[in-house]
Amino acid sequence: MPAQPTAAESYFLQLVNGTRAHAGASPLTFNNQLMIAADNHSAWMDANDTVSHGAAESVWDFYGTDETGQTAAATPHFVEEAHRALVISDSQNLLNPNFHTVGIGLLEGDYLGYPAVFATLDFAA
């Protein structure tokens, strides 16, 4: 079954593509397999009260190629703050001109006892 991006995930993609355009990189489009992988990773981070890359079902295993990347964050605010955190912490993947597709998994949960939004972006060429 195809993973449908939420309105927040679609807005997040608009923010990401605006950042990429400013840097001269082409826009990303959603990819169903990457959406599922990103959703799974955000759920794993929430369930394990952690923020990390490449755990659970990694994008590399799920998508089946080495030309992939992943970035992850947890923030107390929603889309704009998560986007800002990812731009600051991992612009290498966000701006990589070799990446053309993305899966975005946003999940409201609890991080270290506080409300949080878990954000995972899985990229592929």
Side-chain angles (χ1 to χ4, degrees):
M1 176 174 206
Q4 296 297 315
T6 65
E9 291 164 346
S10 294
Y11 177 55
F12 201 102
L13 180 59
Q14 289 176 358
L15 294 174
V16 167
N17 282 336
T19 301
R20 287 176 62 88
H22 185 71
S26 62
L28 299 169
T29 59
F30 282 121
N31 173 285
N32 187 61
Q33 289 178 297
L34 295 175
M35 289 294 297
I36 294 167
D39 287 343
N40 289 345
H41 189 77
S42 288
W44 177 86
M45 290 191 301
D46 182 35
N48 289 280
D49 209 23
T50 190
V51 177
S52 72
H53 300 270
E57 285 185 10
S58 77
V59 63
W60 300 274
D61 295 333
F62 197 86
Y63 197 68
T65 179
D66 288 337
E67 293 209 23
T68 60
Q70 183 180 73
T71 189
T75 177
H77 302 288
F78 208 58
V79 175
E80 291 87 356
E81 185 65 28
H83 173 257
R84 200 168 14 261
L86 293 175
V87 168
I88 291 168
S89 71
D90 194 8
S91 61
Q92 176 182 351
N93 279 327
L94 197 69
L95 301 178
N96 186 328
N98 295 321
F99 294 149
H100 302 286
T101 61
V102 67
I104 299 174
L106 299 177
L107 177 70
E108 292 184 68
D110 179 85
Y111 181 59
L112 302 177
Y114 296 96
V117 175
F118 292 90
T120 302
L121 277 71
D122 287 336
F123 304 92

